[in-house]
Amino acid sequence: MRKTALAATAALTLALALSACSSPAATEDPAPESSMSQSTDDGTAMTMTEMTGEFMGLNDKMVSGTVTVSDDEIALSDFSSDEGPDLHVYLTNGTDEAAVSEGMLVDAVSFDTASQTFMLDDVDTSKYSYVVIHCDKAKAVFGAAELS
């Protein structure tokens, strides 16, 4: 996983270097709203993608709030959920049990804490299209937010 992240970072750095050599017309377009730039300790630029979504309840459960996903964290705001015995946050590509099984477990989530942040380490968040709230004990999807 670390090699994949390093390869992706190297490819991104190369792409940024090559884009600096492109024609002025190509650089006049503004960057997408979902991208931010940040500097690393060694002074090189790193692009951070940010996606957001609004939770909606599934399977007769209530989940609400907003999620913001960046390359290094997932932040929930105004979050609330029906209570479950074993709630967790997952990054997935769908909202069913199969998608959760194939997705990535992030961490346990509190059903009644409005603001929660989960750190991500070496995760390519662009590979996922949903953040899912799942009760692992009951094997039930409580809700999901589609990322855009």
Side-chain angles (χ1 to χ4, degrees):
M1 182 90 178
R2 199 168 275 256
K3 287 183 181 179
T4 303
L6 288 173
T9 302
L12 179 60
T13 303
L14 178 61
L16 290 172
L18 291 175
S19 68
C21 297
S22 63
S23 68
T27 60
E28 289 176 2
D29 293 341
E33 289 180 22
S34 64
S35 292
M36 299 184 318
S37 181
Q38 110 183 6
S39 294
T40 60
D41 290 339
D42 63 3
T44 59
M46 179 176 81
T47 300
M48 183 182 296
T49 303
E50 189 174 276
M51 300 177 288
T52 61
E54 294 290 325
F55 280 108
M56 54 189 278
L58 298 170
N59 303 315
D60 296 323
K61 299 294 183 184
M62 187 284 302
V63 177
S64 64
T66 302
V67 62
T68 302
V69 178
S70 67
D71 291 335
D72 60 352
E73 74 177 22
I74 295 176
L76 307 182
S77 56
D78 297 324
F79 178 79
S80 68
S81 170
D82 281 344
E83 187 173 359
D86 193 23
L87 295 179
H88 288 86
V89 176
Y90 283 81
L91 286 168
T92 69
N93 286 312
T95 61
D96 59 7
E97 284 298 315
V100 171
S101 294
E102 294 174 8
M104 190 192 89
L105 171 64
V106 176
D107 205 347
V109 63
S110 175
F111 76 96
D112 61 352
T113 303
S115 295
Q116 300 177 59
T117 301
F118 307 95
M119 301 310 294
L120 300 173
D121 187 30
D122 294 328
V123 177
D124 183 358
T125 58
S126 68
K127 292 182 179 180
Y128 301 100
S129 54
Y130 288 89
V131 173
V132 172
I133 305 301
H134 184 263
C135 180
D136 288 357
K137 188 172 188 174
K139 302 245 185 277
V141 173
F142 274 39
E146 186 172 10
L147 300 171
S148 60

